[in-house]
Amino acid sequence: MKRSGRPSTTFDKINATFMVLLSATMLFPFLYIVAGSLSSGTAILQGRVSIFPVEFTWVNYQAVFKNAAIWNSFGVTAFVTVVGTFFNLLLTSLMAYGLARKELRGRTLIMLAIIFTMIFPAPLIPSYLLVKSLGMLNSLNALIIPSAISAFNLIIMISFFRGLPDGLLESARIDGAGEYRTWLSIAIPLSLPSITTIGLFYAVNHWNSYFAAIIYIRDPKLYPLQVKLRQLLVENDAEQMMQAVEVNLSSLEGIKMATIIVATLPILFIYPFIQKHFIKGSMLGSIKE
């Protein structure tokens, strides 16, 4: 008996309406920040800005782009994000490939240890003492090495590697390829959706990270962008930026909003280029063939 399509259509309409409203509630704060960054400080203080700029001006962005500390922090964040993500993917994929092999002895015990770290993460003080003993304080290594492997991302990649055809890997070994060659030439190309998805997770985490820098970094020249943004929003360092473009105190909120946009847009531009692989990777394990 053929089912009527009306219930499904009604559900689709309700679901679409709900998703549109939900998206609007998430998009509105971002549009407000964009509009405020392009509006005069007086309009912001008077509450006349909604999602459209009022008294359009570029002065807020001029204050941001003329600040050398912002550019320095931007460079630090870009370096940590690129190098850190590569380091993360290298170690995560190597460890995941090894743990995905059935012939690895003790892999169950290793997996239990990994899961244990997810349930009971390392406390702050022992982590600080470890970083200090390794001589990584006040260096960018402290922002990259301690977070080299995420247990959650590792488990996702292990699941993907386990789904690779055993016959394909055995054929590579018969042809004389070692484990590293099999990992690099066979496993990595086939796991591109997984690597892209996990790489995006790592990159966003590095870009938005500020707590580790607050704990381990003392040199202002090594502050990442999010720490600098925190100083502007919490410690009112934006007053120094206003002096560069000779604006009055009313532009303070506009400069803060412009800084937020500058710190947010770069990571948003990455998604369209990896959307295809990200959608495939995000569906890993959801459908069992």
Side-chain angles (χ1 to χ4, degrees):
M1 182 176 65
K2 185 177 180 180
R3 295 183 179 179
S4 175
R6 182 172 299 176
S8 177
T9 302
T10 302
F11 173 79
D12 291 341
K13 291 181 179 179
I14 296 176
N15 187 45
T17 302
F18 174 75
M19 295 304 296
V20 169
L21 294 176
L22 183 63
S23 300
T25 59
M26 296 180 180
L27 189 60
F28 178 81
F30 181 76
L31 294 178
Y32 172 75
I33 295 296
V34 173
S37 67
L38 296 171
S39 303
S40 67
T42 303
I44 297 174
L45 294 178
Q46 293 177 351
R48 292 187 287 131
V49 179
S50 56
I51 61 174
F52 300 102
V54 178
E55 298 177 3
F56 185 89
T57 179
W58 290 105
V59 68
N60 299 320
Y61 286 96
Q62 292 177 6
V64 173
F65 292 137
K66 287 185 177 181
N67 187 271
I70 291 292
W71 285 107
N72 181 76
S73 298
F74 189 93
V76 170
T77 298
F79 176 83
V80 171
T81 301
V82 173
V83 176
T85 301
F86 174 80
F87 190 64
N88 294 142
L89 291 177
L90 175 64
L91 297 185
T92 302
S93 60
L94 280 171
M95 188 172 183
Y97 178 77
L99 292 174
R101 309 312 306 151
K102 298 179 181 179
E103 58 271 21
L104 178 66
R105 296 181 179 179
R107 65 177 184 143
T108 302
L109 183 61
I110 297 175
M111 286 299 302
L112 290 176
I114 293 172
I115 296 175
F116 181 85
T117 63
M118 296 179 63
I119 302 174
F120 304 101
L124 178 59
I125 295 178
S127 299
Y128 179 86
L129 294 177
L130 176 61
V131 171
K132 182 180 179 180
S133 64
L134 294 176
M136 294 190 298
L137 284 182
N138 207 33
S139 71
L140 297 183
N141 291 331
L143 306 181
I144 298 176
I145 296 178
S147 59
I149 298 178
S150 165
F152 176 78
N153 294 335
L154 178 65
I155 293 175
I156 294 178
M157 191 167 287
I158 290 174
S159 300
F160 187 87
F161 281 142
R162 284 178 177 173
L164 296 179
D166 292 334
L168 186 61
L169 301 179
E170 290 297 332
S171 299
R173 295 190 183 95
I174 293 174
D175 291 338
E179 292 296 341
Y180 287 104
R181 182 62 182 272
T182 304
W183 163 77
L184 182 61
S185 301
I186 304 297
I188 293 299
L190 292 177
S191 60
L192 187 59
S194 173
I195 290 177
T196 304
T197 303
I198 293 175
L200 180 62
F201 292 160
Y202 276 128
V204 171
N205 181 68
H206 281 300
W207 188 271
N208 293 330
S209 177
Y210 74 94
F211 184 73
I214 294 176
I215 300 299
Y216 302 132
I217 304 298
R218 292 293 178 266
D219 187 356
K221 294 182 179 179
L222 298 179
Y223 282 162
L225 188 58
Q226 301 303 327
V227 174
K228 188 61 180 177
L229 178 60
R230 177 182 178 274
Q231 291 180 334
L232 296 176
L233 298 178
V234 179
E235 301 177 14
N236 293 326
D237 282 7
E239 296 180 6
Q240 300 178 0
M241 300 171 61
M242 294 190 302
Q243 299 176 0
V245 290
E246 298 180 355
V247 295
N248 54 41
L249 188 62
S250 64
S251 298
L252 181 61
E253 293 301 321
I255 292 176
K256 291 180 179 180
M257 293 181 181
T259 308
I260 293 175
I261 296 302
V262 171
T264 305
L265 286 183
I267 201 67
L268 292 180
F269 284 143
I270 297 177
Y271 180 76
F273 297 100
I274 63 174
Q275 180 181 9
K276 177 181 178 181
H277 298 294
F278 178 77
I279 294 176
K280 292 181 180 179
S282 62
M283 296 297 292
L284 294 177
S286 60
I287 300 177
K288 186 175 181 180
E289 297 180 355

Coordinates of all heavy atoms in Angstrom, one line a residue, residues 158-223:
I158 N 40.4 6.2 13.8 CA 40.6 4.8 13.9 C 39.4 4.0 13.3 O 39.6 3.0 12.6 CB 40.7 4.4 15.4 CG1 42.1 4.8 16.0 CG2 40.6 2.9 15.6 CD1 42.2 4.6 17.5
S159 N 38.2 4.5 13.5 CA 37.0 3.9 12.9 C 37.1 4.0 11.4 O 36.7 3.0 10.7 CB 35.8 4.7 13.4 OG 35.7 4.6 14.8
F160 N 37.6 5.0 10.8 CA 37.7 5.1 9.4 C 38.7 4.2 8.8 O 38.5 3.4 7.9 CB 38.0 6.6 9.0 CG 38.0 6.8 7.5 CD1 36.8 7.1 6.9 CD2 39.1 6.6 6.7 CE1 36.7 7.3 5.5 CE2 39.1 6.8 5.3 CZ 37.9 7.1 4.7
F161 N 39.9 4.1 9.5 CA 40.9 3.2 9.0 C 40.5 1.7 9.1 O 40.9 0.9 8.3 CB 42.2 3.4 9.8 CG 43.0 4.6 9.4 CD1 43.7 5.4 10.3 CD2 43.1 4.9 8.0 CE1 44.4 6.5 9.9 CE2 43.9 6.0 7.6 CZ 44.5 6.8 8.5
R162 N 39.7 1.4 10.1 CA 39.2 0.0 10.2 C 38.2 -0.3 9.1 O 38.1 -1.5 8.8 CB 38.4 -0.1 11.6 CG 39.4 -0.2 12.8 CD 38.6 -0.3 14.1 NE 39.5 -0.5 15.2 CZ 39.0 -0.5 16.5 NH1 37.8 -0.3 16.8 NH2 39.9 -0.6 17.5
G163 N 37.6 0.7 8.5 CA 36.7 0.4 7.3 C 37.4 0.2 6.0 O 36.8 -0.1 5.0
L164 N 38.7 0.4 6.0 CA 39.5 0.2 4.7 C 39.5 -1.2 4.4 O 39.7 -2.1 5.3 CB 40.9 0.8 4.8 CG 41.0 2.3 5.0 CD1 42.5 2.8 5.2 CD2 40.3 3.1 3.9
P165 N 39.4 -1.6 3.1 CA 39.5 -3.0 2.7 C 40.8 -3.7 3.1 O 41.9 -3.1 2.7 CB 39.3 -3.0 1.2 CG 38.7 -1.6 0.9 CD 39.2 -0.7 1.9
D166 N 40.7 -4.8 3.8 CA 42.0 -5.5 4.2 C 42.7 -6.0 3.0 O 44.0 -6.0 3.0 CB 41.6 -6.6 5.1 CG 41.1 -6.1 6.5 OD1 41.5 -5.0 6.9 OD2 40.3 -6.9 7.1
G167 N 42.0 -6.4 1.9 CA 42.6 -6.9 0.7 C 43.5 -5.9 0.1 O 44.6 -6.2 -0.5
L168 N 43.1 -4.6 0.1 CA 43.9 -3.6 -0.5 C 45.2 -3.3 0.2 O 46.2 -3.2 -0.4 CB 43.1 -2.3 -0.6 CG 43.7 -1.1 -1.3 CD1 43.9 -1.4 -2.8 CD2 42.8 0.1 -1.2
L169 N 45.1 -3.4 1.5 CA 46.3 -3.2 2.3 C 47.3 -4.4 2.2 O 48.5 -4.3 2.1 CB 46.0 -3.0 3.8 CG 45.1 -1.8 4.1 CD1 44.8 -1.7 5.6 CD2 45.7 -0.5 3.6
E170 N 46.7 -5.6 2.1 CA 47.5 -6.8 1.9 C 48.2 -6.8 0.6 O 49.3 -7.3 0.4 CB 46.6 -8.0 2.1 CG 46.1 -8.3 3.5 CD 47.3 -8.5 4.5 OE1 48.3 -9.0 4.0 OE2 47.1 -8.2 5.7
S171 N 47.5 -6.3 -0.5 CA 48.1 -6.2 -1.8 C 49.3 -5.3 -1.8 O 50.3 -5.6 -2.5 CB 47.0 -5.7 -2.8 OG 45.9 -6.6 -2.9
A172 N 49.2 -4.2 -1.0 CA 50.3 -3.3 -1.0 C 51.5 -4.0 -0.3 O 52.7 -3.8 -0.7 CB 50.0 -2.0 -0.2
R173 N 51.3 -4.8 0.7 CA 52.4 -5.5 1.4 C 53.0 -6.6 0.5 O 54.2 -6.8 0.5 CB 51.8 -6.1 2.7 CG 51.4 -5.1 3.7 CD 51.1 -5.8 5.1 NE 50.6 -4.8 6.0 CZ 49.3 -4.6 6.3 NH1 48.4 -5.3 5.6 NH2 48.9 -3.8 7.2
I174 N 52.1 -7.2 -0.3 CA 52.6 -8.2 -1.2 C 53.5 -7.6 -2.3 O 54.5 -8.2 -2.7 CB 51.5 -9.0 -1.9 CG1 50.7 -9.8 -0.8 CG2 51.9 -9.9 -3.0 CD1 49.4 -10.5 -1.4
D175 N 53.2 -6.4 -2.6 CA 54.0 -5.7 -3.6 C 55.3 -5.1 -3.0 O 56.1 -4.5 -3.7 CB 53.2 -4.5 -4.2 CG 52.1 -5.0 -5.1 OD1 52.2 -6.2 -5.6 OD2 51.1 -4.3 -5.4
G176 N 55.5 -5.3 -1.7 CA 56.8 -4.9 -1.1 C 56.7 -3.7 -0.3 O 57.7 -3.2 0.2
A177 N 55.5 -3.1 -0.1 CA 55.4 -1.8 0.6 C 55.4 -2.1 2.1 O 54.7 -3.1 2.6 CB 54.1 -1.1 0.2
G178 N 56.1 -1.3 2.9 CA 56.1 -1.5 4.3 C 54.9 -0.8 4.9 O 54.1 -0.2 4.2
E179 N 54.9 -0.8 6.2 CA 53.7 -0.1 6.9 C 53.7 1.4 6.6 O 52.6 1.9 6.4 CB 53.8 -0.4 8.4 CG 53.6 -1.9 8.8 CD 52.2 -2.4 8.4 OE1 51.3 -1.5 8.2 OE2 52.0 -3.6 8.3
Y180 N 54.8 2.0 6.7 CA 54.8 3.5 6.5 C 54.4 3.8 5.0 O 53.7 4.8 4.8 CB 56.2 4.1 6.8 CG 56.4 4.2 8.3 CD1 57.3 3.3 8.9 CD2 55.8 5.1 9.1 CE1 57.6 3.3 10.3 CE2 56.1 5.2 10.4 CZ 56.9 4.3 11.0 OH 57.2 4.4 12.4
R181 N 54.9 3.0 4.1 CA 54.5 3.2 2.7 C 53.0 2.9 2.5 O 52.4 3.7 1.7 CB 55.4 2.4 1.8 CG 55.1 2.5 0.3 CD 55.4 4.0 -0.2 NE 55.2 4.2 -1.6 CZ 56.0 3.9 -2.6 NH1 57.2 3.5 -2.3 NH2 55.7 4.2 -3.8
T182 N 52.5 1.9 3.1 CA 51.1 1.6 3.0 C 50.3 2.7 3.6 O 49.2 3.1 3.0 CB 50.8 0.3 3.7 OG1 51.6 -0.8 3.1 CG2 49.4 -0.1 3.5
W183 N 50.7 3.2 4.7 CA 50.0 4.3 5.3 C 50.0 5.6 4.5 O 48.9 6.2 4.3 CB 50.6 4.6 6.7 CG 50.3 6.0 7.3 CD1 49.1 6.3 7.9 CD2 51.1 7.2 7.3 NE1 49.2 7.6 8.3 CE2 50.4 8.2 7.9 CE3 52.4 7.4 6.8 CZ2 50.9 9.5 8.1 CZ3 52.9 8.7 6.9 CH2 52.1 9.7 7.6
L184 N 51.1 5.9 3.9 CA 51.2 7.1 3.1 C 50.6 7.0 1.7 O 49.9 7.9 1.3 CB 52.7 7.5 2.9 CG 53.0 8.8 2.2 CD1 52.4 10.0 2.9 CD2 54.5 9.0 2.1
S185 N 50.8 5.9 1.0 CA 50.3 5.7 -0.3 C 48.9 5.2 -0.5 O 48.2 5.4 -1.5 CB 51.3 4.8 -1.1 OG 52.6 5.4 -1.1
I186 N 48.4 4.4 0.5 CA 47.1 3.8 0.4 C 46.1 4.4 1.4 O 45.1 4.9 1.0 CB 47.2 2.3 0.7 CG1 48.2 1.6 -0.3 CG2 45.9 1.6 0.5 CD1 47.8 1.8 -1.8
A187 N 46.5 4.3 2.7 CA 45.5 4.7 3.7 C 45.2 6.2 3.7 O 44.0 6.6 3.8 CB 46.1 4.4 5.1
I188 N 46.2 7.1 3.5 CA 46.0 8.5 3.6 C 45.2 9.0 2.4 O 44.2 9.7 2.6 CB 47.4 9.3 3.6 CG1 48.1 9.0 4.9 CG2 47.2 10.8 3.4 CD1 47.3 9.5 6.1
P189 N 45.5 8.6 1.1 CA 44.6 9.0 0.0 C 43.1 8.6 0.2 O 42.2 9.3 -0.2 CB 45.2 8.4 -1.2 CG 46.7 8.2 -0.8 CD 46.6 7.9 0.6
L190 N 42.9 7.4 0.7 CA 41.6 6.9 0.8 C 40.8 7.5 2.0 O 39.6 7.5 2.0 CB 41.6 5.4 1.0 CG 42.0 4.5 -0.2 CD1 42.1 3.1 0.2 CD2 41.1 4.8 -1.4
S191 N 41.6 8.1 2.9 CA 40.9 8.7 4.1 C 40.9 10.2 4.0 O 40.8 10.9 5.1 CB 41.7 8.3 5.4 OG 43.0 8.8 5.3
L192 N 40.9 10.8 2.8 CA 40.9 12.3 2.7 C 39.7 12.9 3.3 O 39.8 14.0 4.0 CB 41.0 12.6 1.2 CG 41.1 14.1 0.9 CD1 42.4 14.7 1.5 CD2 41.2 14.3 -0.6
P193 N 38.4 12.4 3.2 CA 37.3 13.0 3.9 C 37.5 13.0 5.4 O 37.2 14.1 6.0 CB 36.1 12.1 3.5 CG 36.5 11.5 2.2 CD 38.0 11.3 2.3
S194 N 38.0 11.9 6.0 CA 38.2 11.9 7.4 C 39.3 12.9 7.8 O 39.1 13.6 8.8 CB 38.6 10.5 7.8 OG 39.0 10.5 9.2
I195 N 40.4 13.0 7.1 CA 41.5 13.9 7.4 C 41.0 15.3 7.3 O 41.4 16.2 8.1 CB 42.7 13.6 6.5 CG1 43.3 12.2 6.9 CG2 43.7 14.7 6.6 CD1 44.5 11.8 6.0
T196 N 40.2 15.6 6.2 CA 39.8 17.0 6.1 C 38.9 17.4 7.2 O 39.0 18.5 7.7 CB 39.0 17.1 4.7 OG1 39.8 16.7 3.7 CG2 38.6 18.5 4.5
T197 N 38.0 16.5 7.6 CA 37.0 16.9 8.7 C 37.8 17.1 10.0 O 37.6 18.1 10.7 CB 36.0 15.7 8.9 OG1 35.3 15.5 7.7 CG2 35.0 16.1 10.0
I198 N 38.7 16.1 10.3 CA 39.5 16.2 11.6 C 40.4 17.4 11.5 O 40.6 18.1 12.5 CB 40.2 14.9 11.8 CG1 39.2 13.8 12.1 CG2 41.2 15.1 13.0 CD1 39.8 12.5 12.3
G199 N 41.0 17.7 10.3 CA 41.9 18.8 10.2 C 41.1 20.1 10.4 O 41.7 21.1 11.0
L200 N 39.9 20.2 10.0 CA 39.1 21.4 10.3 C 38.8 21.6 11.8 O 38.9 22.7 12.3 CB 37.7 21.4 9.5 CG 36.8 22.6 9.8 CD1 37.5 23.8 9.3 CD2 35.5 22.3 9.1
F201 N 38.6 20.5 12.5 CA 38.4 20.5 13.9 C 39.6 21.0 14.6 O 39.6 21.9 15.5 CB 38.0 19.1 14.5 CG 36.7 18.6 14.0 CD1 36.4 17.3 14.1 CD2 35.7 19.5 13.6 CE1 35.1 16.8 13.7 CE2 34.5 19.0 13.2 CZ 34.2 17.7 13.3
Y202 N 40.8 20.5 14.2 CA 42.1 20.9 14.8 C 42.3 22.4 14.5 O 42.8 23.2 15.4 CB 43.2 20.1 14.3 CG 43.4 18.8 15.0 CD1 43.5 17.6 14.3 CD2 43.5 18.7 16.3 CE1 43.6 16.3 14.9 CE2 43.7 17.5 17.0 CZ 43.8 16.3 16.3 OH 44.0 15.1 16.9
A203 N 42.1 22.8 13.2 CA 42.4 24.2 12.8 C 41.5 25.2 13.6 O 42.0 26.2 14.1 CB 42.2 24.3 11.3
V204 N 40.2 24.9 13.7 CA 39.4 25.8 14.5 C 39.8 25.9 15.9 O 39.7 26.9 16.5 CB 37.9 25.3 14.3 CG1 37.0 26.1 15.3 CG2 37.4 25.5 12.9
N205 N 40.2 24.7 16.5 CA 40.6 24.7 17.9 C 41.9 25.6 18.1 O 42.0 26.3 19.0 CB 40.9 23.3 18.3 CG 41.3 23.2 19.8 OD1 40.6 23.4 20.7 ND2 42.6 22.8 20.0
H206 N 42.8 25.5 17.2 CA 44.0 26.3 17.3 C 43.7 27.8 17.1 O 44.2 28.6 17.8 CB 45.1 25.8 16.2 CG 45.8 24.6 16.6 ND1 46.6 24.5 17.7 CD2 45.9 23.4 15.9 CE1 47.2 23.3 17.8 NE2 46.8 22.6 16.7
W207 N 42.8 28.0 16.1 CA 42.5 29.5 15.8 C 41.8 30.1 17.0 O 42.1 31.3 17.3 CB 41.7 29.5 14.6 CG 41.5 30.9 14.1 CD1 40.5 31.8 14.5 CD2 42.3 31.7 13.2 NE1 40.6 33.0 13.8 CE2 41.8 33.0 13.0 CE3 43.5 31.3 12.5 CZ2 42.3 33.9 12.2 CZ3 44.0 32.3 11.7 CH2 43.5 33.6 11.5
N208 N 40.9 29.4 17.7 CA 40.1 30.0 18.7 C 40.8 29.8 20.1 O 40.3 30.3 21.1 CB 38.8 29.3 18.8 CG 37.9 29.7 17.6 OD1 38.1 30.7 17.0 ND2 37.0 28.8 17.2
S209 N 41.9 29.1 20.2 CA 42.5 28.8 21.5 C 43.1 30.1 22.1 O 43.8 30.8 21.4 CB 43.6 27.7 21.3 OG 44.2 27.5 22.6
Y210 N 42.9 30.3 23.4 CA 43.5 31.4 24.1 C 43.9 31.0 25.5 O 44.8 31.6 26.1 CB 42.6 32.6 24.2 CG 41.4 32.4 25.1 CD1 41.5 32.9 26.4 CD2 40.2 31.8 24.7 CE1 40.4 32.7 27.3 CE2 39.2 31.6 25.6 CZ 39.3 32.1 26.9 OH 38.2 31.9 27.8
F211 N 43.3 29.9 26.1 CA 43.5 29.6 27.5 C 45.0 29.1 27.6 O 45.7 29.5 28.6 CB 42.6 28.5 27.9 CG 42.7 28.1 29.4 CD1 42.3 29.0 30.4 CD2 43.3 26.9 29.8 CE1 42.5 28.7 31.7 CE2 43.5 26.6 31.1 CZ 43.0 27.5 32.1
A212 N 45.4 28.3 26.7 CA 46.8 27.7 26.8 C 47.8 28.9 26.7 O 48.8 28.9 27.4 CB 47.1 26.7 25.7
A213 N 47.6 29.9 25.9 CA 48.5 31.0 25.7 C 48.5 31.8 27.0 O 49.5 32.3 27.4 CB 48.1 31.9 24.6
I214 N 47.3 32.0 27.7 CA 47.3 32.7 28.9 C 48.1 32.0 30.0 O 48.8 32.7 30.8 CB 45.8 32.9 29.4 CG1 45.1 33.8 28.4 CG2 45.7 33.5 30.8 CD1 43.6 33.9 28.7
I215 N 48.1 30.7 30.0 CA 48.8 29.9 31.0 C 50.3 29.9 30.7 O 51.1 30.0 31.6 CB 48.2 28.5 31.1 CG1 46.8 28.6 31.5 CG2 49.0 27.7 32.1 CD1 46.5 29.2 32.8
Y216 N 50.7 29.6 29.5 CA 52.1 29.3 29.1 C 52.9 30.5 28.5 O 54.1 30.4 28.5 CB 52.1 28.1 28.1 CG 51.4 26.9 28.6 CD1 50.5 26.2 27.8 CD2 51.7 26.4 29.9 CE1 49.9 25.1 28.3 CE2 51.0 25.2 30.4 CZ 50.1 24.6 29.6 OH 49.5 23.4 30.0
I217 N 52.2 31.5 28.0 CA 52.9 32.6 27.3 C 53.0 33.8 28.2 O 52.0 34.3 28.7 CB 52.3 32.9 26.0 CG1 52.2 31.6 25.1 CG2 53.0 34.0 25.2 CD1 53.5 31.0 24.8
R218 N 54.2 34.4 28.3 CA 54.3 35.7 29.0 C 54.8 36.8 28.1 O 54.6 38.0 28.4 CB 55.4 35.5 30.1 CG 54.9 34.6 31.2 CD 53.7 35.2 32.0 NE 53.2 34.3 33.0 CZ 52.2 33.5 32.9 NH1 51.6 33.5 31.7 NH2 51.8 32.7 33.8
D219 N 55.4 36.5 27.0 CA 55.9 37.5 26.1 C 54.7 38.0 25.2 O 54.1 37.2 24.5 CB 57.0 36.9 25.2 CG 57.7 38.0 24.3 OD1 57.2 39.1 24.3 OD2 58.6 37.6 23.5
P220 N 54.4 39.3 25.3 CA 53.3 39.8 24.5 C 53.5 39.6 23.0 O 52.5 39.6 22.2 CB 53.3 41.3 24.8 CG 53.9 41.4 26.2 CD 55.0 40.3 26.2
K221 N 54.7 39.5 22.5 CA 55.0 39.3 21.1 C 54.6 37.9 20.6 O 54.4 37.7 19.4 CB 56.5 39.5 20.8 CG 56.9 40.9 21.0 CD 58.4 41.1 20.6 CE 58.9 42.5 20.8 NZ 60.3 42.7 20.5
L222 N 54.3 37.0 21.6 CA 53.9 35.6 21.2 C 52.5 35.4 21.5 O 52.0 34.3 21.4 CB 54.8 34.6 22.0 CG 56.3 34.6 21.8 CD1 57.0 33.6 22.7 CD2 56.6 34.4 20.3
Y223 N 51.7 36.5 21.8 CA 50.3 36.3 22.1 C 49.6 36.0 20.8 O 49.7 36.7 19.8 CB 49.7 37.6 22.7 CG 50.0 37.8 24.1 CD1 49.9 39.0 24.7 CD2 50.4 36.7 24.9 CE1 50.1 39.2 26.1 CE2 50.6 36.9 26.3 CZ 50.5 38.1 26.8 OH 50.8 38.3 28.2

